[in-house]
Amino acid sequence: METIAHPASSPVQSPRPSLLDDSKLLRTLIDHLPDSIFVKDIEGRFLIANLAHRRALGVAALQELIGKTDCDFYPEAQAAQYTGDEQDVMSTGNPLVNREEPVIDRAGQRRWLLTTKVPLKDAEGHVIGLVGISRDITGRRRAEEALRESEERFRRMFEEAPVAYHEIDSEGITRRVNRAECILLGFEPSDIVGKPIWEFVAPEQREQSREAVRKKLADLQLLAPFRREYVRRDGTHLVLEIHENLIRDTRGQVVGIRSTLLDITERQQAEEEVARQARELARSNSELERFAYVASHDLQEPLRKIRAFGDRLKGRCAEGLGEQGRDYLERIQNAAGRMQTLISALLTFSRLKAQAQPFTRVDLAEVARTVVSNLETSIEQAGARVEIGDLPVIDADPVQMTQLLQNLVGNALKFHRQEEPPLVRLRTQLAVPPSQRPEETSAPLCQILVEDNGIGFDEKYLDRIFLVFQRLHGRGEYEGTGVGLAICREIVERHGGTITAQSAPGRGATFVVTLPATQPKGHAE
Amino acid sequence: MTKKNGKPITILYADDDPEDRMLVKDAWEESRLANPLHFVEDGEELMDYLRRQGQYAKLRDEPLPGMILLDLNMPRKDGREALREIKADPSLRQIPTVVLTTSEAEEDIFRAYDLGVNSFIIKPVTFQSLVEVTKTLGRYWLEIVELPRERAVP
């Protein structure tokens, strides 16, 4: 049976029967459609099936299909489902339109079909069978499922993220807010959604927030992380670091902002605490400097009296004192004189910071020549020789550089060996060993070496010699206050450098000063 | 040591420290300076003396001192304030005023000269140098330079 019955049920009036054979034309048409198309009689037996449907059933020729039913091709349950549906369509005359049906294909794969089944009627309107059309919509269904899954995944990521998120629309109204943000702010989602986001900002920043949102939505302001104070439901404030992204529609128009909020209240408090401690430290340091200054200044006052009245005693009452009395007085006067020297040294030390000058270009060779000229008397007295080698030009405080080299050369002259005239050499060493590199500088470094052939010292005392009032020798052996090298260290550290020494008893000493050759611009402390 | 009218001029020394007053007095004697040295103990007493008021009202007809030696750190009114008042007062500002202090602060030195001080001397440490200083002061201010004529408070 090769005739097609027409659902329209009106006889086809073929204008050119000789040219077009209806059945051939229709078969050609339907065989080239991608959808499955079939016609069944009232008993559910196939009358027609196009190529697509025959392929779906695994049948090559139409002949093999004619007279068979779905029971011959599908598993029992599926066949029963189809037969039932088709009986309904045929008995009620109501078509089944665009139903999405799952099927297992011949390869065992699950597929989705969009099926329409309409009753086929004869000229009198009696149902004589049905026409079915099925489109394979597996691809679309999979895409939809993938989209749903993806949306669900992102929705859950948004919702369940441990970080607070919200989205506002083009009016600044909050459209979505996640659980973390609700917990952070202490509100229910319904308290937040539908309200302008700036209502949750601390009152003093609210206007600023509103204006910033307006500018960002107008695409007038670049997005950069910023800090904003929000208020919780319970009225407490919290500091948030906010990261934002613009939400754009398909035309690229900004339609909203998605924000991530990090609670940095504690971090900000910690930062403030660190800043407070730094201020406190600076204050206590400057107080200490001031204390050292005032103390050493005020200590001089009674000392001056001791010396002056000692002088009076010696000048006026020497006769009455007797020889022993005069000896005691002499000792008092000497002790007072030493104390005067110590206090002066301490005063110099405490003034280092207060009287610091800005850094300028300083020629250390020139400084060394000044130092030699300042120390001329002691150099002559000791029969010493001071050799000035190549020395660099660096950024430094010129007065302090003079003090530094003078203390080091003076030290070298003082601690000379009796049997040999002192020889002091100043020179530069270019390569700085990494272990002697100061931590906080990237500037090129230079090393200045002050070498002597004096008595030297045991390196186990290296840490002590740069501390205030630390001495390695009794006063009977060498005069000194124990402040000179401490001043050197203070000066070097103020310049961002380091000072150390190499020595052994009886083998001379080499003091190594490492200084940045350049200082950051405007850096004076 | 005496001015043209034959009467030795008075030197006024303001210092709150009794020992410093004692040392200056001793040094003054050692320097064989015949001029009377009068002591006041703080800035307020100094101004009372100069303006002949309070306990010094009875000196109204006496001539003003010919030179003022001034310590800077004093209670009640310190030397800096007293100096400002003296140099701002037309009847006092011509009196030579010499600061004698332990302060070496550059700011003090600058401000004192800025206010019009005539000399700034840091108190010497030994008595012998104090004698040197008083001798030099006496020779310079009382022998070498000409001072304006003494006048009583108008």
Side-chain angles (χ1 to χ4, degrees):
Chain A
M1 191 166 165
E2 299 244 65
T3 332
I4 287 180
H6 297 282
S9 78
S10 59
V12 173
Q13 300 282 314
S14 173
R16 286 166 286 180
S18 57
L19 279 176
L20 289 170
D21 173 334
D22 275 2
S23 70
K24 258 197 178 150
L25 174 65
L26 286 175
R27 193 186 308 165
T28 308
L29 272 174
I30 66 172
D31 276 349
H32 286 85
L33 286 172
D35 295 349
S36 289
I37 297 171
F38 56 87
V39 180
K40 288 175 178 171
D41 67 12
I42 196 97
E43 303 296 334
R45 289 180 297 242
F46 283 104
L47 296 176
I48 299 174
N50 73 342
L51 190 60
H53 196 56
R54 294 202 300 275
R55 276 191 190 139
L57 297 177
V59 175
L62 185 58
Q63 252 59 40
E64 295 171 41
L65 200 60
I66 303 298
K68 290 185 176 163
T69 67
D70 284 341
C71 299
D72 299 307
F73 300 100
Y74 294 110
E76 202 181 324
Q78 202 170 342
Q81 165 81 44
Y82 290 159
T83 309
D85 289 346
E86 288 167 9
Q87 287 305 321
D88 275 353
V89 169
M90 289 187 286
S91 62
T92 62
N94 295 329
L96 180 155
V97 180
N98 285 346
R99 185 159 79 184
E100 295 190 11
E101 299 176 320
V103 323
I104 306 297
D105 71 7
R106 288 166 39 75
Q109 296 292 311
R110 184 184 170 87
R111 306 195 74 79
W112 282 88
L113 299 178
L114 182 70
T115 301
T116 293
K117 288 174 178 173
V118 294
L120 182 64
K121 295 174 184 171
D122 64 10
E124 283 78 42
H126 299 114
V127 175
I128 54 163
L130 82 133
V131 175
I133 305 169
S134 282
R135 173 170 295 181
D136 188 328
I137 55 162
T138 310
R140 198 192 81 198
R141 283 288 297 219
R142 284 191 184 147
E144 281 171 3
E145 270 167 31
L147 190 62
R148 246 195 317 277
E149 272 172 31
S150 159
E151 275 180 345
E152 174 65 6
R153 194 159 59 236
F154 284 105
R155 194 191 65 77
R156 294 187 65 155
M157 267 172 69
F158 181 88
E159 188 55 33
E160 293 167 10
V163 180
Y165 280 110
H166 67 241
E167 284 179 11
I168 57 172
D169 65 14
S170 55
E171 302 296 315
I173 308 297
T174 317
R175 288 298 165 207
R176 297 175 75 181
V177 58
N178 76 346
R179 194 155 52 197
E181 181 159 334
C182 289
I183 292 168
L184 187 65
L185 298 178
F187 287 104
E188 292 300 319
S190 56
D191 297 330
I192 300 177
V193 172
K195 295 219 177 85
I197 192 61
W198 49 81
E199 284 193 9
F200 301 92
V201 171
E204 56 274 20
Q205 295 184 4
R206 200 164 288 161
E207 248 337 283
Q208 193 190 348
S209 163
R210 185 193 186 124
E211 182 57 17
V213 168
R214 192 192 64 76
K215 279 189 182 162
K216 288 169 198 163
L217 285 168
D219 220 352
L220 293 173
Q221 185 172 320
L222 283 175
L223 300 187
F226 60 98
R227 289 178 182 194
R228 186 81 78 213
E229 208 169 309
Y230 273 56
V231 186
R232 289 195 187 85
R233 180 183 214 140
D234 65 11
T236 56
H237 285 224
L238 71 167
V239 182
L240 299 174
E241 184 178 281
I242 303 179
H243 298 252
E244 295 175 324
N245 292 101
L246 292 178
I247 308 171
R248 291 176 190 272
D249 65 12
T250 47
R251 288 170 303 150
Q253 286 291 103
V254 177
V255 293
I257 301 174
R258 186 179 304 113
S259 309
T260 312
L261 295 77
L262 304 174
D263 182 1
I264 57 158
T265 311
E266 281 178 21
R267 193 172 90 198
Q268 173 142 323
Q269 280 165 356
E271 284 168 3
E272 281 166 9
E273 179 61 17
V274 168
R276 194 191 61 74
Q277 284 179 0
R279 277 196 305 275
E280 178 66 19
L281 195 64
R283 195 191 58 76
S284 103
N285 270 349
S286 81
E287 217 164 62
L288 205 61
E289 276 161 31
R290 172 140 185 81
F291 172 78
Y293 177 79
V294 169
S296 44
H297 181 264
D298 287 2
L299 285 173
Q300 299 209 74
E301 194 47 41
L303 194 59
R304 200 171 51 82
K305 302 281 175 57
I306 293 173
R307 298 190 73 185
F309 284 104
D311 287 347
R312 298 301 292 136
L313 196 59
K314 199 166 156 187
R316 280 200 156 174
C317 321
E319 289 303 308
L321 282 175
E323 199 179 322
Q324 199 174 31
R326 285 196 293 276
D327 178 51
Y328 292 159
L329 181 59
E330 193 66 30
R331 288 173 192 279
I332 291 172
Q333 292 288 74
N334 284 344
R338 273 203 311 282
M339 189 155 172
Q340 184 81 43
T341 317
L342 284 174
I343 291 173
S344 297
L346 195 59
L347 206 52
T348 310
F349 186 68
S350 75
R351 278 174 178 170
L352 276 180
K353 277 221 178 83
Q355 300 190 343
Q357 293 184 12
F359 295 151
T360 54
R361 296 299 285 169
V362 177
D363 182 351
L364 291 180
E366 203 172 294
V367 169
R369 283 191 291 275
T370 308
V371 165
V372 168
S373 136
N374 290 349
L375 295 172
E376 205 175 341
T377 319
S378 2
I379 292 171
E380 266 174 29
Q381 274 173 4
R385 196 151 51 90
V386 179
E387 294 178 3
I388 302 171
D390 276 346
L391 290 174
V393 178
I394 64 168
D395 286 349
D397 176 334
V399 175
Q400 293 193 343
M401 284 300 109
T402 310
Q403 202 163 13
L404 171 70
L405 293 189
Q406 187 151 327
N407 284 3
L408 291 175
V409 174
N411 229 42
L413 294 174
K414 182 160 63 174
F415 297 106
H416 68 264
R417 279 183 295 164
Q418 293 302 333
E419 58 273 24
E420 206 174 341
L423 172 63
V424 186
R425 273 207 296 256
L426 286 89
R427 62 185 178 90
T428 309
Q429 182 164 289
L430 287 174
V432 175
S435 62
Q436 289 174 10
R437 199 177 167 86
E439 277 170 25
E440 287 160 20
T441 182
S442 53
L445 297 173
C446 60
Q447 270 190 338
I448 299 117
L449 275 54
V450 181
E451 299 166 311
D452 66 50
N453 59 347
I455 59 169
F457 63 92
D458 190 329
E459 281 189 9
K460 72 179 177 188
Y461 300 120
L462 190 57
D463 291 339
R464 290 182 59 178
I465 60 173
F466 296 107
L467 299 177
V468 183
F469 292 143
Q470 292 291 333
R471 293 167 45 85
L472 300 183
H473 303 279
R475 228 183 33 251
E477 303 170 79
Y478 294 93
E479 275 296 325
T481 57
V483 179
L485 288 177
I487 287 176
C488 289
R489 196 196 60 180
E490 194 70 22
I491 291 173
V492 170
E493 286 179 358
R494 182 189 159 228
H495 286 76
T498 58
I499 182 166
T500 185
Q502 290 144 9
S503 184
R507 309 273 288 272
T510 301
F511 282 84
V512 183
V513 175
T514 309
L515 290 171
T518 57
Q519 298 282 348
K521 276 215 160 56
H523 181 94
E525 194 43 59
Chain B
M1 263 179 257
T2 54
K3 275 311 175 187
K4 291 172 179 93
N5 60 8
K7 200 176 170 191
I9 61 171
T10 303
I11 311 299
L12 184 63
Y13 178 41
D15 196 328
D16 61 308
D17 187 323
E19 284 145 3
D20 272 339
R21 292 200 298 270
M22 191 180 187
L23 287 167
V24 167
K25 186 166 175 283
D26 281 3
W28 200 258
E29 283 161 9
E30 199 114 326
S31 309
R32 307 191 191 292
L33 291 167
N35 301 61
L37 189 59
H38 186 85
F39 296 100
V40 287
E41 299 184 9
D42 59 54
E44 284 193 1
E45 194 189 341
L46 170 70
M47 295 317 293
D48 281 353
Y49 183 91
L50 291 173
R51 289 176 174 150
R52 304 304 194 210
Q53 58 194 23
Q55 56 170 310
Y56 296 106
K58 59 184 183 300
L59 294 179
R60 185 162 291 277
D61 300 326
E62 298 289 311
L64 282 171
M67 178 164 73
I68 301 166
L69 296 176
L70 184 62
D71 182 25
L72 282 186
N73 297 312
M74 292 185 292
R76 300 213 289 165
K77 180 178 284 177
D78 74 8
R80 300 168 188 83
E81 291 169 80
L83 181 62
R84 187 186 300 112
E85 286 181 30
I86 292 166
K87 291 302 177 187
D89 187 331
S91 63
L92 300 176
R93 67 174 169 227
Q94 70 285 353
I95 304 173
T97 307
V98 174
V99 165
L100 192 58
T101 179
T102 53
S103 171
E104 296 175 42
E106 276 176 41
E107 196 197 334
D108 277 337
I109 298 172
F110 178 85
R111 278 190 44 207
Y113 282 107
D114 197 40
L115 288 172
V117 82
N118 300 81
S119 292
F120 191 107
I121 297 171
I122 292 160
K123 283 180 183 170
V125 173
T126 63
F127 181 73
Q128 208 43 55
S129 22
L130 184 62
V131 173
E132 289 300 319
V133 166
T134 48
K135 272 186 182 164
T136 309
L137 272 177
R139 185 168 152 65
Y140 182 74
W141 288 107
L142 306 174
E143 290 176 17
I144 298 174
V145 302
E146 287 297 330
L147 294 175
R149 281 179 179 279
E150 289 171 32
R151 287 174 301 151
V153 173

